[in-house]
Amino acid sequence: MPSPNPMVARADVPRRSEIEVHQASRLKDALEVMAAGAAEGKPWMPVAGGTDLMVWITQRRVVPARVIDIWNVDGMRGIEETEGSITLGALTSYAEVRRSEVVAEWVPPLVDAARWCGAAQIQSRGTLGGNIAGSSPAGDTLPVFSAWDAELTLVSTAGARVVKFADFYTGYRQNLLQEDELILRISIPKPAAGSLQVFHKVGTRRAQSISKVMLGFRGHLGADGTVEDVGISFGSVAPIVLRMPRTESAVRGKVLDTDTIDAAVRVAGDEVVPIDDVRSSATYRRRVAQNLVRRYLTALSKS
Ligand SMILES: Cc1cc2nc3c(=O)[nH]c(=O)nc-3n(C[C@H](O)[C@H](O)[C@H](O)COP(=O)(O)OP(=O)(O)OC[C@H]3O[C@@H](n4cnc5c(N)ncnc54)[C@H](O)[C@@H]3O)c2cc1C
């Protein structure tokens, strides 16, 4: 049988014009609309840049009855530096991250992650909040937020709550967001001066490909040469972005000699839980994850 012509609308796919759309411009109004929708059992699904959601709708992976466009909502953009952290509005695009001197100074791996997300069109429209809420274990910015101990501010008409990024994901593509809630902003604590900070993406190629494995790594040695602080997170090796507390414990407070690094690499091999899929095999992903842990612990030992 010939494959269906993709240009011809199929009867079983709802037309986009049947989706109710609300254009929001003020945060308060957006939250009130979302609260009312949730209360009446007809929730509004937020759309920010639409680079994920429009694809999911076309593929019928989600079929929202109602969509609230938050792209122009006030108070959800901007990158700010405070004494102890940098804060990014959830609507911050990859292009804005790439242009930001504050991010380049304090968390350069986030600039690297933004640089390798899609191409220019995706970088102009795709947002950090969308990457986080999309909850894909292959979301490129997630290992950075995870390893850097980021916090998320979630907001609804009931008020704001701050959740640790580490607690945000509850399962494969599941998170803590309620139907009436938006991610408002992301805060990243500033790493100690002199920290080694890395984002490393492994894919078929670096741009325009979904990652097979990616790593967010930050580490800092104390004056005595032991590991004073370390954060290690992987994407695409588990159902959710994976912080590696056991691997971190294997090196924290220790001198990074060969035995310590070898032991940490073994722990890392146990700690990741990769799967075989169309992009790669579990065996390859585990080996790559271990190689990356070895590479950056060795680099940290020489920093
Ligand atoms: C060609 C192409 C290439 C891509 N390449 C990459 C890549 O290399 N790396 C990568 O990680 N991703 C990639 N993506 C996926 C996508 O671009 C990113 O995940 C992007 O960050 C999504 O942001 P958005 O604003 O477009 O999200 P949207 O599509 O608007 O929304 C995605 C989801 O998040 C929810 N949402 C959005 N904002 C909020 C908010 N503030 N509060 C609560 N919920 C919210 C929406 O309801 C929806 O469920 C690619 C997509 C395409 C089409």
Side-chain angles (χ1 to χ4, degrees), residues 46 48-53 94 116-118 122 127 130-131 133 139-140 183 201:
T51 60
D52 267 329
L53 189 63
Y94 299 111
W116 298 118
C117 271
I122 296 296
T127 65
N131 205 224
D140 274 326
I183 302 173
K201 174 169 175 167

Side-chain angles (χ1 to χ4, degrees), residues 35-242:
E40 68 193 46
K42 275 187 75 183
W44 293 86
M45 181 171 286
V47 60
T51 60
D52 267 329
L53 189 63
M54 297 309 284
V55 176
W56 299 339
I57 290 174
T58 302
Q59 295 173 340
R60 287 211 78 201
R61 287 164 64 191
V62 295
V63 188
R66 295 170 136 187
V67 163
I68 181 164
D69 180 356
I70 60 170
W71 180 254
N72 288 315
V73 166
D74 57 5
M76 292 184 69
R77 288 187 188 278
I79 300 171
E80 283 174 19
E81 179 181 359
T82 60
E83 203 180 318
S85 63
I86 66 168
T87 300
L88 306 105
L91 290 178
T92 303
S93 69
Y94 299 111
E96 286 164 330
V97 169
R98 288 189 64 174
R99 284 196 297 266
S100 166
E101 288 175 12
V102 172
V103 183
E105 180 181 356
W106 289 105
V107 193
L110 190 58
V111 179
D112 294 333
R115 180 176 294 126
W116 298 118
C117 271
Q121 297 90 332
I122 296 296
Q123 292 178 11
S124 298
R125 284 293 296 191
T127 65
L128 298 179
N131 205 224
I132 294 168
S135 305
S136 163
D140 274 326
T141 62
L142 310 187
V144 177
F145 295 133
S146 171
W148 271 246
D149 293 322
E151 289 183 337
L152 303 176
T153 302
L154 312 183
V155 67
S156 70
T157 51
R161 59 179 178 138
V162 176
V163 301
K164 292 186 174 146
F165 189 82
D167 298 332
F168 183 66
Y169 297 110
T170 52
Y172 178 66
R173 288 197 178 265
Q174 290 178 326
N175 61 53
L176 291 179
L177 275 173
Q178 301 294 309
E179 284 175 345
D180 61 348
E181 253 178 341
L182 289 173
I183 302 173
L184 182 64
R185 57 176 168 261
I186 307 127
S187 294
I188 310 178
K190 288 178 178 171
S195 292
L196 176 67
Q197 302 191 62
V198 178
F199 170 76
H200 192 123
K201 174 169 175 167
V202 178
T204 307
R205 49 187 191 274
R206 275 209 275 186
Q208 290 283 40
S209 69
I210 303 176
S211 309
K212 296 178 180 183
V213 177
M214 69 243 170
L215 168 76
F217 180 103
R218 64 174 176 87
H220 182 250
L221 298 183
D224 60 358
T226 62
V227 177
E228 196 171 73
D229 195 16
V230 64
I232 305 174
S233 289
F234 278 106
S236 295
V237 297
I240 60 174
V241 61
L242 189 69

